Amino acid sequence: MEKMKAKKKVKVKARKLVPILTLFLFFLTLFFLSPALVAAQTVEKRIEVRCDFPAQKIEAGDTATFELTLVNHGKTATYSLQWWAYREAKNWDIKFEDGNKEVYKVLLPAGSSKTVTLAVETPGDAKVGESPIHVDIGDGRITLYVKITETHKGEKGTLALTVTDKDGDSIKGATVSVYNKDKFVDYAKTTVEGKIELELGEGEYTAEIVKEGYHAKETEDFKIRIGRKTDIGIISLEQKEFYAELTSKSPSKTSMVGENPLYQIKIKNSGKADDTYRLDIDGLPEDWYCRYKETEEGKEDISELFVGSGEEKTLYLEFVPPYDVEIGEYNFTSLIQSSTGQYELNLTLKVRGSYEMRLYSRRLSYEVKRGEKASIELTASNAGKGGTITNIKPEINAPEGWTATIDPKEVTSLNPGESETFTMKITPPGDITPSDYKVTVKVKSDQLEEEEDFRIIVKESSNVALYGVVIIIMVILALAFMFRKYGRR
């Protein structure tokens, strides 16, 4: 029991000594380390990093550049160029540059100084605010600040370029197609000055430039930034040796039956060399005839045409359809054969029938008595070429109170050369004053209308005349009787 009590006393004493020993060891360690710390604090840094303007204000999408001066107070050595940032700034395009080269290490001889540039390229949708960027070079450190004053979030960037030939002359009408990873995005055509400006979303793109008579060219990759214009400079295209442009002001025409349609065609030699072109046609129907002419009024056919380099000539292609040509649409292809290839121009011709309606009646003047009917026959004929007249319907314009009937009231259609006779019965009122009257018959159709005037002479009825004669005789007899009876007195 006594031994147990003795052990407990020893343990209690040991526990009391632990805090004292711990404190003693702490002060002992501090005593030995303090001279080393003091010595370390008195040693100068080997690398000193300076910047005259460590804080810059820019808009989102711009690039801030900081000129850093590196001073080596130590021995000659090669040092890594490092930077680090927080939040969205760590995703910015930040790099060290020496002129146009990107660098990541620097050799500093003892006692020397050098200048290196830190370029901070911000995205166009960067938030407004200040972002610190920390730079470490050896044991030297500096903190730089970029303050975004305006953001362009939601906006697009602009691609700009100029297309010229090898002589530096601008090329109008070149097609600039833009791709993102082989996926077509958009296109634009160059102006008279050979320029384009095309709005694009942020990203990396390539462009292909195509122009008739020139070899196509593809650009290197370029980057579009939000709210900024990216001008990739001048793109020069090389002209082809042989190339022609074939155009027509009116490649689609409408012609009436019996007409000879004429197409104006222009051939431009866009190649480097002169060329002679052979002229041909494809798709010409049977019994049709066509010819190429140098002038609109010319009668001579031509089968070849010489065009100098850079020149343009006009020729005419005349078609002569047969007399009985069917109404409809016809398609042809003008073929121009050059020294190295064939050029085609598609032409369309719509042939329509000519519409002409003629009216005929054996008489244009009729005599009727009051209350009697005048029977008028009027024949309508289709005198056109190839065109069918549809929905033919006569209308009568007569004085007020007259009545009229038409048979037939309407004809569905009349083909060329066909005719139809309409019978119209016109009745003047019974109490009308005898005189000359005009009745107009208008024949309408879907395509055109014609009219004919008729003279209707209304006379007294025969009974009225008889009654008049009887009355006159009775008056004469009465006068004779009165004269005989009272005349002698």
Side-chain angles (χ1 to χ4, degrees):
M1 290 293 290
E2 292 180 0
K3 288 182 178 181
M4 293 289 291
K5 290 180 179 179
K7 287 181 178 181
K8 287 182 179 180
K9 290 180 179 179
V10 172
K11 289 181 179 180
V12 170
K13 289 181 179 180
R15 289 175 182 172
K16 290 181 179 180
L17 290 173
V18 168
I20 298 172
L21 290 172
T22 303
L23 187 62
F24 173 75
L25 290 173
F26 172 75
F27 282 110
L28 183 65
T29 303
L30 186 63
F31 175 77
F32 285 107
L33 289 178
S34 57
L37 292 173
V38 172
Q41 289 177 354
T42 59
V43 174
E44 289 187 13
K45 287 187 177 181
R46 290 177 295 176
I47 302 299
E48 181 183 359
V49 183
R50 301 173 184 168
C51 183
D52 293 339
F53 302 99
Q56 294 185 24
K57 290 182 179 181
I58 60 171
E59 290 185 15
D62 287 345
T63 299
T65 57
F66 298 91
E67 298 295 328
L68 305 178
T69 301
L70 312 180
V71 182
N72 185 2
H73 296 292
K75 296 180 180 181
T76 299
T78 299
Y79 298 93
S80 296
L81 305 175
Q82 298 177 332
W83 65 267
W84 51 281
Y86 296 109
R87 298 174 183 171
E88 69 168 335
K90 67 181 180 180
N91 297 319
W92 293 354
D93 188 3
I94 303 175
K95 56 189 175 182
F96 292 94
E97 294 179 342
D98 179 28
N100 295 324
K101 297 175 296 191
E102 182 178 357
V103 295
Y104 64 95
K105 286 181 181 292
V106 60
L107 173 64
L108 292 175
S112 68
S113 65
K114 281 190 178 180
T115 301
V116 68
T117 301
L118 180 71
V120 182
E121 183 179 324
T122 60
D125 57 354
K127 296 179 181 177
V128 173
E130 185 179 72
S131 297
I133 299 168
H134 307 286
V135 176
D136 288 339
I137 302 173
D139 58 357
R141 171 177 291 188
I142 191 172
T143 300
L144 308 173
Y145 298 90
V146 175
K147 188 171 186 179
I148 303 297
T149 59
E150 182 180 349
T151 184
H152 297 282
K153 187 175 182 180
E155 299 179 16
K156 288 187 175 183
T158 302
L159 166 66
L161 60 85
T162 304
V163 180
T164 66
D165 59 17
K166 292 298 182 181
D167 297 328
D169 296 327
S170 59
I171 297 177
K172 175 188 175 184
T175 301
V176 180
S177 301
V178 180
Y179 297 86
N180 181 300
K181 297 180 180 179
D182 297 329
K183 183 180 179 182
F184 175 76
V185 178
D186 205 350
Y187 80 97
K189 286 187 176 292
T190 55
T191 63
V192 176
E193 294 81 16
K195 299 180 180 295
I196 69 147
E197 287 193 1
L198 183 63
E199 286 192 346
L200 299 169
E202 187 175 35
E204 290 189 0
Y205 300 88
T206 58
E208 183 184 33
I209 297 90
V210 177
K211 172 64 177 175
E212 299 87 351
Y214 294 84
H215 295 285
K217 191 169 185 178
E218 187 173 335
T219 68
E220 296 180 355
D221 294 351
F222 56 87
K223 185 184 292 185
I224 295 296
R225 297 162 60 194
I226 293 175
R228 290 292 175 264
K229 181 189 290 187
T230 301
D231 193 335
I232 62 175
I234 297 174
I235 311 297
S236 296
L237 300 183
E238 184 179 355
Q239 192 175 14
K240 292 181 179 179
E241 189 72 18
F242 295 97
Y243 191 83
E245 296 179 52
L246 195 60
T247 58
S248 176
K249 191 174 182 179
S250 302
S252 181
K253 284 182 174 291
T254 299
S255 176
M256 307 300 289
V257 174
E259 295 179 349
N260 295 342
L262 192 69
Y263 291 83
Q264 184 189 74
I265 298 175
K266 291 186 177 182
I267 301 178
K268 182 178 180 180
N269 185 351
S270 300
K272 292 182 182 179
D274 300 341
D275 209 347
T276 299
Y277 302 96
R278 295 185 297 278
L279 313 176
D280 203 352
I281 191 74
D282 185 38
L284 192 68
E286 189 177 356
D287 297 330
W288 283 58
Y289 171 73
C290 74
R291 60 181 176 181
Y292 288 95
K293 306 186 298 180
E294 287 191 290
T295 62
E296 192 171 357
E297 299 81 11
K299 301 297 182 182
E300 295 183 1
D301 301 7
I302 59 171
S303 59
E304 290 184 346
L305 187 67
F306 173 82
V307 184
S309 175
E311 294 181 357
E312 181 180 82
K313 287 191 177 180
T314 301
L315 61 118
Y316 297 87
L317 175 58
E318 181 182 21
F319 289 95
V320 182
Y323 179 78
D324 58 349
V325 63
E326 293 185 4
I327 296 174
E329 183 174 296
Y330 297 86
N331 296 303
F332 315 96
T333 303
S334 175
L335 305 178
I336 309 297
Q337 187 74 37
S338 73
S339 300
T340 57
Q342 180 173 276
Y343 305 94
E344 300 180 356
L345 179 64
N346 295 322
L347 305 173
T348 301
L349 176 63
K350 294 180 181 179
V351 178
R352 296 177 56 187
S354 60
Y355 299 102
E356 183 181 356
M357 182 167 59
R358 295 177 183 172
L359 302 180
Y360 169 75
S361 179
R362 288 181 296 176
R363 297 172 57 191
L364 297 177
S365 179
Y366 293 85
E367 292 185 1
V368 295
K369 297 174 181 177
R370 289 188 297 184
E372 293 183 353
K373 295 180 180 178
S375 182
I376 300 175
E377 289 187 349
L378 180 63
T379 300
S381 62
N382 185 350
K385 297 179 180 179
T388 299
I389 302 175
T390 56
N391 297 323
I392 303 97
K393 184 178 181 180
E395 292 181 357
I396 298 175
N397 183 14
E400 187 177 357
W402 293 49
T403 59
T405 60
I406 304 173
D407 184 40
K409 293 183 178 180
E410 185 175 355
V411 175
T412 304
S413 63
L414 287 177
N415 293 321
E418 293 182 346
S419 62
E420 181 70 30
T421 299
F422 297 92
T423 301
M424 293 158 285
K425 297 186 180 297
I426 302 173
T427 306
D431 58 350
I432 194 171
T433 303
S435 183
D436 290 0
Y437 295 90
K438 185 177 78 169
V439 174
T440 301
V441 178
K442 181 179 291 185
V443 181
K444 294 183 176 181
S445 70
D446 293 336
Q447 291 74 30
L448 69 169
E449 61 182 48
E450 296 290 342
E451 63 180 39
E452 192 71 77
D453 293 331
F454 294 91
R455 180 187 178 198
I456 307 297
I457 304 171
V458 179
K459 294 186 174 183
E460 292 282 4
S461 63
S462 57
N463 291 335
V464 172
L466 180 60
Y467 294 151
V469 172
V470 172
I471 292 172
I472 292 172
I473 294 174
M474 291 178 64
V475 170
I476 293 173
L477 291 175
L479 289 173
F481 174 76
M482 293 295 292
F483 179 76
R484 290 181 65 184
K485 184 175 182 179
Y486 302 105
R488 292 180 181 180
R489 294 181 183 180

